[in-house]
């Protein structure tokens, strides 16, 4: 059986990826900072799909915690076939000159440095087994910019650049590196972005049919289920009503 490690699997897209991979027979390592949610998710995945589930509770921004967590994996969990670098967030929506620098730090530390730390800790395990696949969750914000998205867009552009660079460097092992770039998906993303303001978060998805986490998990599964000689470099998944970043056709 294959093993997948999914970061940020306590909610949203990561949780949906854990489900589709477990449904297709992967044993699952799920990570996040909320221990209770990890325990609940592990129980649900095991009961629903009969797969083995291991949890790692750590903050991807913390280099030591990240390396300690991966090093703590029991030997049978160290053959990681698939890493889904999903943990990430946006904080705030502000014109550059009004930007909150604590928000900037959190986004850079999570979306860029967190992805780097997890990958750096997992790649040696993949090299050891001469196989592996990394799927990075970037965003349409990694392809285009939108008003007041400045630093979030920059972090996701970095994920795009890192995906291409990692593919160049790691394909020789061979490790596949792929990316999924979603448009607006209703998850906890906007609640986090607006620091718990649920009413403001709801307005983001008002008047059009947004994507749901399963739409992105479908793309991840498509990428993960190709044969060894095929790598899907990149999939951009958008709501039909969102033709580009920052543009949404709303009915009312
Ligand atoms: P959610 O807020 O629903 O989920 C985010 C997940 O990331 C949670 O499981 C959270 O776990 C985890 N996470 C956040 N910060 C950390 C951290 N410091 N350490 C460890 N885990 C962390 O959002 P989504 O599911 O929507 O977001 C998933 C990814 O998809 C992100 O990278 C996001 O940028 C990207 N994306 C989202 C889009 C959207 O519209 N929703 C569109 C495009 C891309 P916990 O809090 O337990 O630590
Ligand atoms: C978030 C994408 O379009 O909701 O990564 O800002 S969007």
């Amino acid at each position: 059986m294959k093993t997948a490690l999914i970061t940020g699997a306590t909610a949203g897209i990561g949780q949906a990826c854990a489900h589709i991979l477990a449904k297709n027979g992967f044993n699952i390592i799920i990570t996040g900072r909320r221990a209770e949610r990890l325990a609940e998710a592990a129980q649900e995945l095991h009961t629903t799909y009969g797969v083995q589930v291991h949890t790692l509770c750590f903050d991807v921004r913390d280099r030591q915690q990240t390396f300690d967590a991966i090093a703590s994996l029991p030997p049978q969990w160290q053959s990681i076939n698939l890493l889904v670098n999903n943990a990430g967030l946006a904080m705030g929506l502000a014109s550059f000159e009004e930007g909150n620098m604590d928000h900037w730090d959190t986004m850079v530390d999570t979306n860029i440095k967190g992805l780097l730390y997890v990958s750096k800790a997992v790649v040696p395990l993949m090299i050891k087994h001469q196989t592996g696949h990394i799927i990075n969750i970037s965003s349409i914000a990694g392809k285009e910019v939108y008003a007041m998205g400045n630093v979030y867009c920059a972090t996701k552009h970095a994920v795009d650049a890192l995906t291409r660079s990692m593919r160049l460097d790691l394909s020789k092992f061979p490790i596949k590196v792929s990316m999924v770039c979603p448009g607006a998906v209703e998850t906890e993303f906007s609640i986090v972005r607006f620091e718990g303001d649920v009413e403001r978060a709801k307005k983001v998805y008002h008047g059009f049919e947004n994507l749901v986490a399963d739409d992105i998990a479908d793309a991840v599964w498509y990428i993960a289920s190709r044969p060894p000689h095929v790598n899907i470099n990149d999939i951009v998944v958008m709501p039909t009503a969102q033709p580009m970043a920052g543009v949404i056709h709303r009915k009312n």
Side-chain angles (χ1 to χ4, degrees):
M1 266 171 102
K2 290 186 172 181
T3 297
L5 188 158
I6 303 136
T7 66
T10 55
I13 293 168
Q15 193 170 63
C17 289
H19 276 264
I20 202 160
L21 291 164
K23 188 177 166 189
N24 284 284
F26 276 74
N27 288 327
I28 304 288
I29 303 166
I30 47 174
T31 88
R33 293 164 299 179
R34 288 171 285 183
E36 257 180 44
R37 286 229 194 163
L38 281 174
E40 283 165 18
Q43 185 61 46
E44 191 185 352
L45 289 165
H46 177 65
T47 309
T48 311
Y49 307 107
V51 297
Q52 299 302 310
V53 186
H54 189 84
T55 63
L56 292 175
C57 189
F58 66 96
D59 187 328
V60 297
R61 292 172 296 177
D62 186 315
R63 191 198 296 192
Q64 191 64 47
Q65 269 188 35
T66 302
F67 278 82
D68 287 350
I70 302 301
S72 78
L73 285 171
Q76 69 272 27
W77 285 100
Q78 287 179 15
S79 301
I80 297 171
N81 303 89
L82 174 64
L83 165 64
V84 183
N85 274 318
N86 163 78
L89 79 182
M91 293 285 294
L93 190 65
S95 188
F96 184 82
E97 75 285 3
E98 290 168 357
N100 174 323
M101 288 194 285
D102 291 332
H103 289 171
W104 292 1
D105 284 345
T106 303
M107 290 187 279
V108 169
D109 290 349
T110 310
N111 299 353
I112 305 176
K113 290 166 73 179
L115 180 147
L116 287 172
Y117 297 157
V118 173
S119 304
K120 186 83 164 89
V122 170
V123 160
L125 302 176
M126 291 181 166
I127 292 174
K128 189 172 164 198
H129 296 99
Q130 293 282 297
T131 182
H133 194 168
I134 299 171
I135 303 178
N136 293 329
I137 307 299
S138 179
S139 169
I140 189 61
K143 303 284 187 190
E144 304 162 1
V145 295
Y146 56 86
M148 300 192 287
N150 41 65
V151 175
Y152 177 67
C153 295
T155 65
K156 291 300 185 178
H157 276 68
V159 173
D160 183 296
L162 280 169
T163 301
R164 287 180 282 130
S165 317
M166 288 163 76
R167 185 160 54 239
L168 264 179
D169 293 342
L170 300 177
S171 57
K172 62 180 176 280
F173 288 111
I175 295 172
K176 296 186 192 184
V177 184
S178 309
M179 176 168 70
V180 178
C181 300
V185 189
E186 188 168 10
T187 58
E188 294 176 12
F189 178 84
S190 292
I191 299 171
V192 171
R193 172 172 238 169
F194 300 130
E195 296 176 271
D197 186 340
V198 175
E199 288 312 309
R200 191 173 175 199
K202 271 190 199 154
K203 288 187 188 143
V204 173
Y205 309 104
H206 179 73
F208 77 107
E209 189 167 358
N210 53 261
L211 298 172
V212 295
D214 285 340
D215 295 322
I216 308 311
D218 268 349
V220 166
W221 174 242
Y222 176 74
I223 293 173
S225 57
R226 293 311 88 203
H229 70 289
V230 178
N231 186 43
I232 306 297
N233 286 357
D234 191 357
I235 296 183
V236 180
V237 188
M238 300 293 285
T240 305
Q242 186 185 14
M244 61 185 293
V247 176
I248 292 177
H249 299 295
R250 298 180 200 268
K251 293 215 169 67
N252 48 44

